């Protein structure tokens, strides 16, 4: 293969990746979620102020990752922003750009891995391209792939972990279990609700290829590696926040900022459509319903009349 053929063949093989790059150039995110909060927390920490890096169990390692990337890429990012902003870049812009770089790169890697994952199955090339294209134009990718939030980062890592979990069903080895387990564990530390996908990911081999002994054994080994990786990630958090009692740990783990007791499952249920579709102001009415807003009450009948 000639080097001049590589770009053409690459984008034919990963057609939806080109679509993603076009969408990224022509559009901009409408909702940056908590990106501003993450950036300001990192700025406060770097300025020596008291700002907990592990304040949320739902995005446990996102702030430390952002801080590490900011330190590693501060020179090229600052120079690029100075060029784009005529020398008027700010610390906030630099930290935000560091987070966005991580998400964007992981999104691109996740798209490539999704192609590889789908090609493990007896699907036509058209089906693979169409499936990944639907993924690329989904609400989750179009909006959150270019914000400083960790939703897309976690989803990409989850896809990568699932690929390693099932790529070699006949002869799974340590080289499959180790990266698969680590990646699956990391995805939940980027966005905790991905823990709901872990049972299916860990037992993907027997679910897909049958409950033979070798497939079940492979899933057990994958689960062990995932558990070890999650424990190693959790230990620094427990030590840093002094979560040495069950009460202290549960308060941190099950009391995410901004949520009320019992709201979590309902938020997950109503949040699923937002992963794929732009719901406009419907999300505002859902929050009013979930939190029983006394000033702006919304009934279940009102929700039924919306576009959900």
């Amino acid at each position: 293969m000639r080097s001049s053929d590589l770009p053409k063949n690459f984008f034919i093989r990963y057609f939806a990746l080109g679509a993603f790059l076009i969408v990224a150039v022509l559009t901009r995110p409408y909702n940056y979620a908590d990106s501003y909060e993450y950036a300001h927390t990192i700025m406060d920490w770097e300025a020596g102020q008291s700002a907990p890096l592990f304040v949320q169990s739902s995005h446990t390692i996102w702030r430390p990752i952002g801080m590490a990337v900011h330190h590693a890429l501060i020179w090229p990012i600052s120079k690029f922003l100075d060029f784009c902003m005529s020398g008027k870049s700010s610390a906030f812009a630099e930290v935000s750009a560091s987070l966005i770089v991580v998400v964007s790169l992981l999104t691109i890697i996740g798209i490539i891995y999704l192609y590889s994952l789908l090609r493990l199955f007896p699907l036509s090339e058209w089906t693979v391209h169409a499936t990944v294209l639907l993924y690329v134009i989904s609400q989750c990718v179009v909006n959150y792939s270019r914000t400083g939030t960790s939703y897309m980062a976690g989803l990409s890592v989850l896809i990568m972990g699932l690929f390693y979990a099932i790529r070699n069903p006949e002869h799974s080895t340590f080289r499959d279990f180790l990266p698969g387990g680590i990646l699956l564990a990391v995805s939940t530390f980027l966005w905790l609700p991905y823990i709901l996908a872990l049972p299916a990911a860990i037992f993907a081999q027997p679910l897909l290829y049958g409950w033979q002994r070798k497939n079940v054994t492979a899933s057990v080994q994958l689960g062990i590696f995932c558990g070890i990786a999650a424990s190693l990630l959790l230990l620094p958090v427990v030590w840093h926040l002094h979560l040495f009692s069950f009460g202290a740990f549960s308060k941190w783990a099950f009391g995410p900022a901004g949520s009320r007791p019992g709201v979590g499952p309902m938020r997950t249920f109503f949040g699923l459509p937002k992963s794929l579709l732009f719901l406009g102001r419907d999300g505002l009415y859902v929050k009013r319903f979930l939190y029983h807003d006394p000033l702006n009450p919304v009934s279940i009948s009102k929700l039924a009349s919306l576009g959900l």
Side-chain angles (χ1 to χ4, degrees), residues 19-33 35-36 100 104 136-148 278:
F20 166 73
L21 297 176
I22 293 173
V23 170
V25 171
L26 297 180
T27 66
R28 65 182 180 87
Y30 81 95
N31 179 13
Y32 283 82
S35 300
Y36 302 103
I100 293 172
S104 299
V136 163
I137 63 174
S138 69
Q139 162 75 351
C140 186
V141 176
V142 171
N143 185 80
Y144 293 107
S145 62
R146 289 162 295 136
T147 68
F278 173 53

Side-chain angles (χ1 to χ4, degrees), residues 164-191:
Y164 286 106
I166 66 173
R167 70 169 177 171
N168 194 15
E170 295 301 324
H171 305 285
S172 296
T173 65
F174 180 82
R175 291 183 295 177
D176 302 308
F177 303 138
L178 182 62
I182 292 175
L183 290 166
L184 291 177
V186 169
S187 69
T188 65
F189 280 77
L190 290 169
W191 179 224

Side-chain angles (χ1 to χ4, degrees), residues 42 92 152 154 166 213 291:
I42 294 171
F92 174 78
M152 273 308 306
I166 66 173
R213 182 184 181 87
Y291 290 108

Side-chain angles (χ1 to χ4, degrees), residues 9 24 29 50 68 76 109 113 154 177-178 203 225 228 241 248 289 300 307:
N9 290 330
S50 178
I109 295 172
Y113 265 87
F177 303 138
L178 182 62
F203 287 96
F225 278 108
I228 293 173
L241 297 179
F289 167 75
I300 188 67

Side-chain angles (χ1 to χ4, degrees), residues 106-301:
L106 282 176
T107 299
I108 291 173
I109 295 172
I111 292 171
I112 294 175
Y113 265 87
L114 182 57
Y115 267 109
S116 301
L117 178 65
L118 292 173
R119 287 187 173 118
L120 296 175
F121 303 102
L123 302 172
S124 69
E125 196 65 14
W126 283 106
T127 302
V128 171
H129 283 301
T131 303
V132 183
L133 183 61
L134 287 173
Y135 172 78
V136 163
I137 63 174
S138 69
Q139 162 75 351
C140 186
V141 176
V142 171
N143 185 80
Y144 293 107
S145 62
R146 289 162 295 136
T147 68
T149 58
S150 60
Y151 307 117
M152 273 308 306
L155 181 57
S156 295
V157 171
L158 181 63
I159 291 171
M160 294 160 63
L162 182 59
F163 168 75
Y164 286 106
I166 66 173
R167 70 169 177 171
N168 194 15
E170 295 301 324
H171 305 285
S172 296
T173 65
F174 180 82
R175 291 183 295 177
D176 302 308
F177 303 138
L178 182 62
I182 292 175
L183 290 166
L184 291 177
V186 169
S187 69
T188 65
F189 280 77
L190 290 169
W191 179 224
L192 183 60
Y194 290 141
I195 199 172
L196 299 174
L198 286 191
I202 291 173
F203 287 96
Q205 276 207 32
L207 286 170
L208 291 169
Y209 305 118
W211 291 87
Q212 289 85 6
R213 182 184 181 87
K214 63 181 181 62
N215 292 332
V216 175
T217 301
S219 291
V220 171
Q221 292 176 308
L222 178 65
I224 291 173
F225 278 108
C226 183
I228 293 173
S231 300
L232 292 176
L233 286 170
L234 195 58
L235 281 176
V237 180
V238 172
W239 183 266
H240 179 76
L241 297 179
H242 300 92
L243 305 176
F244 302 128
S245 68
F246 178 78
F249 181 82
S250 61
K251 183 178 180 180
W252 171 78
F254 302 111
S259 293
R260 299 180 184 178
V263 172
M266 292 293 287
R267 284 190 65 181
T268 300
F269 174 77
F270 283 106
L272 289 176
K274 293 173 65 179
S275 299
L276 298 174
L277 307 171
F278 173 53
L279 301 182
R281 293 180 60 83
D282 288 8
L284 175 63
Y285 294 110
V286 169
K287 281 193 173 183
R288 289 175 179 174
F289 167 75
L290 291 175
Y291 290 108
H292 305 293
D293 190 336
L295 300 179
N296 300 281
V298 176
S299 64
I300 188 67
S301 60

Side-chain angles (χ1 to χ4, degrees), residues 70-87:
H70 178 234
H71 280 290
L73 301 180
I74 186 169
W75 186 84
I77 287 179
S78 62
K79 292 300 181 183
F80 176 74
L81 291 177
D82 284 341
F83 173 78
C84 294
M85 305 172 67
S86 302

